[in-house]
Amino acid sequence: MFTICKHYNIINMKASEIWKKAMDTLPREIAYKFSKPRFFISMDEERGLINFSFNDKGIEYKLYTPGIMSHADAFFYSDVAKFYSMQDRRVFLMTPHIYPKIAEKLITDGINYLDASGNMYINYDDIYILKTGKKTEQEKVQKSRLFSESGVKLLFGILQSPGFLELNFRRMGAAVGISASSVSILLTEMEGAGYLYEGNKKKRVIGKRPELIQRWVKAYNEVLKPKLFLGSFSSKKVPLKTEFKNVKPLSFGAEWSGEPAANLYTNYLSPEKFSLFVREDSKQWRNTLSLLPEKNGILSVYRYFWDTGHEVFYNQEQIEDAVPPLIVYAELTGTGDSRNLETAKMIFDEYL
């Protein structure tokens, strides 16, 4: 059901603002060729229809406004586009923010899109417009301390543990290995960006959580994860692809991440590559699995950056022998692999 109003043009402010910002970035000789769009938006304000013309040629799409796009979203909308293609209809995404790698997948899958910075892909009959490389305001925010190494660590605690924001600055910092002064600065940045606000009884509340998770995932994979990497290995003792479930990493102070952890959370994904979080000062994990360094080994090992024994991380939805689901989701999403993205969406829906 679509919401009808008295005006000839049915406007969803999110979509109309994205359109206006995108048009403002275009050269005048291109922008004037676009007519003013008409939006027909459903009650949930996330889907509908869009009509506009370019060079007087009428264009109509099935419209989706998903907000901040993740790799998992791109995988989902690929399936949506395939469904509508059987009805000879085309999908158009409008979002404030599309990363280049996600844009590449959308283009490959034939999904037209537009973001607020003017990045766009419109391939409709004889009309072909491709504009890429424009950075969004979100990417500018990402350069702040909030998405630096310290910020990523703090946000992990905030997003993973419901009780984290109830701690004082010193205890927050101790849980994720940063200083209390950094916690104070980063929380102030969160408030300024709309990611944190004061709720009932002056409790701190996360704002724009889905968006914040996607920003965190990108920063985790690009900023923090490379610094945690201890090396690639192969095991001369355990055939991991068939026997990994018989390995109990907690017994030697470690936990599965990535694909094996996803299997433990969903019982769905058969792991091909393996990730393990360990305590850097212990070599028990190496000895137990009889690991040998190997440049392209199937096992990647990372060091913990959070205090796994801190009280704030107790009593959360975490599977034994696996790292918290937020880490698993980030690692799966960062691969860009379709089977991993499908599993990542399952973890997001169930645990995040």
Side-chain angles (χ1 to χ4, degrees):
M1 174 182 290
F2 294 101
T3 305
I4 306 297
C5 67
K6 294 182 180 178
H7 303 288
Y8 83 97
N9 199 7
I10 300 164
I11 295 292
N12 169 281
M13 287 304 294
K14 180 165 62 174
S16 62
E17 288 170 5
I18 290 171
W19 181 276
K20 182 179 185 304
K21 288 181 178 181
M23 292 299 111
D24 287 346
T25 69
L26 294 176
R28 183 174 298 178
E29 63 271 19
I30 299 296
Y32 89 92
K33 295 182 180 181
F34 285 92
S35 70
K36 187 175 182 180
R38 300 183 67 201
F39 298 99
F40 300 85
I41 306 299
S42 63
M43 294 295 290
D44 61 15
E45 298 187 350
E46 294 183 355
R47 56 194 170 86
L49 299 173
I50 179 173
N51 298 322
F52 61 92
S53 64
F54 182 82
N55 263 352
D56 297 323
K57 177 178 177 60
I59 297 173
E60 180 176 285
Y61 288 103
K62 181 68 177 177
L63 174 66
Y64 285 86
T65 57
I68 302 301
M69 286 283 293
S70 68
H71 287 281
D73 290 328
F75 187 77
F76 169 75
Y77 286 110
S78 176
D79 288 341
V80 171
K82 289 175 185 175
F83 172 79
Y84 281 109
S85 68
M86 293 187 291
Q87 303 176 24
D88 199 27
R89 303 183 72 180
R90 309 182 206 195
V91 169
F92 191 66
L93 302 181
M94 294 185 68
T95 170
H97 185 86
I98 295 181
Y99 286 118
K101 286 187 178 180
I102 296 175
E104 287 176 12
K105 176 168 177 55
L106 296 179
I107 293 169
T108 299
D109 292 343
I111 301 173
N112 290 204
Y113 66 82
L114 176 74
D115 77 14
S117 292
N119 297 301
M120 68 179 71
Y121 172 62
I122 297 176
N123 188 357
Y124 195 100
D125 296 341
D126 59 344
I127 298 172
Y128 185 88
I129 304 170
L130 177 61
K131 186 174 178 230
T132 61
K134 290 289 185 180
K135 292 186 177 181
T136 69
E137 290 301 315
Q138 290 295 334
E139 287 175 304
K140 295 174 184 176
V141 171
Q142 183 117 355
K143 295 179 181 178
S144 72
R145 287 191 59 173
L146 187 55
F147 297 97
S148 66
E149 181 178 345
S150 294
V152 174
K153 290 179 178 180
L154 180 68
L155 288 173
F156 165 74
I158 291 172
L159 291 169
Q160 181 57 55
S161 176
F164 193 87
L165 285 170
E166 297 177 11
L167 302 177
N168 60 38
F169 291 173
R170 181 183 59 79
R171 294 173 69 199
M172 284 188 200
V176 293
I178 65 175
S179 68
S181 60
S182 292
V183 172
S184 176
I185 293 169
L186 292 166
L187 292 182
T188 299
E189 284 204 23
M190 285 187 70
E191 291 173 356
Y195 293 131
L196 192 67
Y197 63 93
E198 189 177 280
N200 293 334
K201 299 181 180 179
K202 297 187 176 182
K203 285 189 176 181
R204 302 184 186 99
V205 181
I206 300 173
K208 301 187 289 187
R209 181 182 174 88
E211 175 182 317
L212 184 57
I213 289 176
Q214 301 311 325
R215 300 283 72 73
W216 182 85
V217 165
K218 184 174 189 295
Y220 169 78
N221 282 310
E222 294 182 357
V223 177
L224 181 57
K225 184 181 175 182
K227 297 180 180 180
L228 307 175
F229 184 61
L230 297 179
S232 296
F233 300 86
S234 61
S235 175
K236 63 180 182 180
K237 179 180 179 180
V238 182
L240 290 176
K241 289 187 178 181
T242 57
E243 300 294 332
F244 86 94
K245 282 192 174 181
N246 293 327
V247 176
K248 302 299 180 184
L250 275 178
S251 67
F252 49 87
E255 289 171 311
W256 291 121
S257 186
E259 294 180 24
N263 176 278
L264 295 177
Y265 274 103
T266 67
N267 198 30
Y268 177 74
L269 182 68
S270 297
E272 295 291 330
K273 296 181 180 179
F274 294 78
S275 296
L276 189 70
F277 270 81
V278 304
R279 290 175 176 79
E280 188 175 10
D281 59 356
S282 170
K283 294 297 182 275
Q284 191 178 357
W285 52 273
R286 186 185 295 223
N287 297 331
T288 302
L289 295 175
S290 298
L291 296 179
L292 295 175
E294 185 176 319
K295 184 178 181 180
N296 297 313
I298 65 170
L299 175 63
S300 297
V301 178
Y302 301 88
R303 62 178 175 84
Y304 286 113
F305 65 88
W306 68 99
D307 180 358
T308 59
H310 196 285
E311 62 189 54
V312 76
F313 295 121
Y314 292 166
N315 301 319
Q316 58 182 345
E317 287 190 292
Q318 182 175 342
I319 301 295
E320 187 176 4
D321 288 317
V323 296
L326 183 62
I327 299 287
V328 183
Y329 174 76
E331 294 210 357
L332 294 178
T333 301
T335 67
D337 180 87
S338 60
R339 67 194 183 95
N340 286 350
L341 293 176
E342 183 179 4
T343 310
K345 188 175 187 304
M346 295 168 64
I347 290 173
F348 184 91
D349 292 343
E350 178 70 21
Y351 296 99
L352 301 177

